[in-house]
Amino acid sequence: MELRRVDPTILHPNPENPRRFEVNPEEDKRLALNIKAVGLLQPPMVREMEDGRLVIIHGHRRTRGAIAAKLKEIDVLVTSADPKLDNLASGSENIVRVAMSEPDMWRYVVRLREEYKYSEAQICKTLMVTPAYLKRLALFAKLHPPILNAIEKGIGPDAASLRTIASASIGEQENAWREMFDESVEGDEDAAHYVMTLETMAEDDSFWRDLAYHLSHKRYFPANARFDDEIAKLCGLVWQEDLFGEGGKDNRYTDDALAFRTAQEHWLNHCLPEGGVILTCNEHGSVTIPSGYMRLWGYETSQPDDTIGYALHEGSLAITETRIRIDTRAPREPQASRADADYAPAAPAPAARPDVSKTGVGMIGDMRTQALHKALDAARETADPWDLVAALLLAFAGRNVRVGRGGYSIGATRAEDAAYGLFPEGYLVRDELAIRHSAVDVLKSVASCSTEYDCGSGPAAEIMGLLFDADAQMPNMAFEEFLKTFSKQGVTRAVEAEGLEAQATGKLMRNALIEKTGDGRWVYPAAAFGAGLDDWKEDGQRAAESAARRAERDMEAETEDDDDEDEDYDTPPDDGDDSDDASPDVKPDAVPDEADEDSGDMADEVPREADDESPEQFMRRHFEVVSVP
């Protein structure tokens, strides 16, 4: 091995370089700027050929970066090892390496600041990162240790959830973490348990979203405040500044829920716009419409008698606006005059609480989606090809698929990739395995049981789950986080269906159900893929009836068009005479009684010459009707 200093432009690329994919030019640019700032940290390895050429074994990007940084000379390692090892070395140098985790990056940046007194500008220039990225790394200093440990293991939240979690205090994070995992042990020795538990949820991002959502309700922001600074001061509310918030935005918040609520209620009671009324929200956060009124949506035209209702959301403490109007579609009780100063909508009837909350319904959708995707993966090589064809047709009925109607369609990119892969030259590559895998990949990119309308497929995904027996892939749903979304009557029904006795509290019943399930599997009956089968059949029946009505209308329209064409052809043109005024005993088109006696019964009637001769008279006079046996 020899260390030699050479001009980087004389180095020749290795024709056997295993890295064939072109690297993003921006990445090469970053490397060049880094080399210009700190120099070439690791010399490329080269081999000297018999003709004196220096061929790169590994270090192509470093060489390009050095040239882009305009370095006149760099160090290279000229190897004398067995040439048979060159390909092995070039591949392993690119593969056998691990990038630093973000928490390690954060510790490294802290050390550069505190020990070496580097400024933020110097760190950004050296590491080729933005100030926003350094601000994101600073969030790791505000994380509960098990959360930080999970991120180091590669299982962590997205950027938005990370900001929300880090905004909460360490104590709040610890309490929320232990509540979601129901842990009672303490100390560093249980960190592996946390990570092992998270690994089972690595494919489900909902855990981190739920944790962020749980912590986000501890803070209230000016964006949800209707009151001004004077009311805030009157109610004793003091805003705090989020030092890690995004630049150019109002990053104030408050932890004082009581003061925030008081200020919002003060606005409702004393600052309500003229004509506005106060509405209430039910326990699920939905605005309750008063009896005798109907909710108006954005697409509906406003009318003078519309009313704006204002409701305080119990979770976020935000005040929402809802347009309402007197419902004239059904009989109603007489209402007070709108001019009455004491006018107020009638008190709403209390709504019955569903068995599972909106959060639980969302979790069911996520678990169904995972089960469906696992079932599709299991069917890649064994499913009947016609089942795959039928599933692709079924996908067109999904709510998240747009065909010829514009807008973004979920799965479009995956479908394009599959199309280009199967038709690379414009002709189908008849590889059954490739076709199967492409069909499953497209189905997985589209099929979703999410309860969000924009990304969920709706009933079509549930029917697809029945086709591929996705119920067999459903996970055990007897765990605390999901069962907590049940109302008391909901969990009571669940335990009684399993042959257990109802308990005094929901927690006791949840524990009883979890204990009975043990290492087995319990699936909430309403979460099964066939739960909505009756609704699907009813919708299909209505669709068939609607299609039959459309076909009948189309048939009638075609018949009317044919009749119109016949009338236009058979009816002689109007000659200007008003036939309605003619005597009923006289035919308008009658031919005068003057015929050739020698012509017999078939003789043509020859009319007199007349200047006002009609087209029909002209036809009879010039053409002979011949009967052919």
Side-chain angles (χ1 to χ4, degrees), residues 228-343:
D228 55 20
D229 291 339
E230 184 177 349
I231 296 178
K233 183 177 181 181
L234 179 66
C235 298
L237 187 146
V238 179
W239 294 111
Q240 303 180 50
E241 189 71 26
D242 184 1
L243 301 179
F244 299 98
E246 297 184 26
K249 293 186 177 182
D250 188 352
N251 295 308
R252 295 177 301 162
Y253 70 93
T254 180
D255 294 324
D256 192 343
L258 180 59
F260 192 90
R261 175 190 288 274
T262 303
Q264 293 282 68
E265 291 176 345
H266 184 280
W267 184 90
L268 285 172
N269 294 323
H270 301 282
C271 305
L272 202 64
E274 183 178 358
V277 296
I278 300 176
L279 301 180
T280 59
C281 289
N282 60 25
E283 56 187 326
H284 307 295
S286 300
V287 176
T288 302
I289 306 302
S291 176
Y293 285 78
M294 58 184 290
R295 181 197 297 269
L296 301 177
W297 304 102
Y299 60 85
E300 296 184 84
T301 306
S302 299
Q303 295 182 6
D305 60 345
D306 291 348
T307 302
I308 304 297
Y310 299 85
L312 181 63
H313 190 279
E314 293 297 327
S316 63
L317 296 184
I319 295 176
T320 59
E321 296 183 10
T322 304
R323 284 196 304 142
I324 58 176
R325 179 185 301 164
I326 296 177
D327 191 356
T328 58
R329 299 170 300 180
R332 56 185 175 83
E333 295 295 330
Q335 301 293 326
S337 172
R338 290 294 304 274
D340 189 351
D342 296 331
Y343 165 77

Side-chain angles (χ1 to χ4, degrees), residues 16-31:
E16 301 295 331
N17 182 19
R19 189 192 290 271
R20 302 291 184 184
F21 181 76
E22 290 293 335
V23 179
N24 188 332
E26 290 298 323
E27 294 297 325
D28 279 347
K29 183 178 180 181
R30 290 183 62 212
L31 179 60

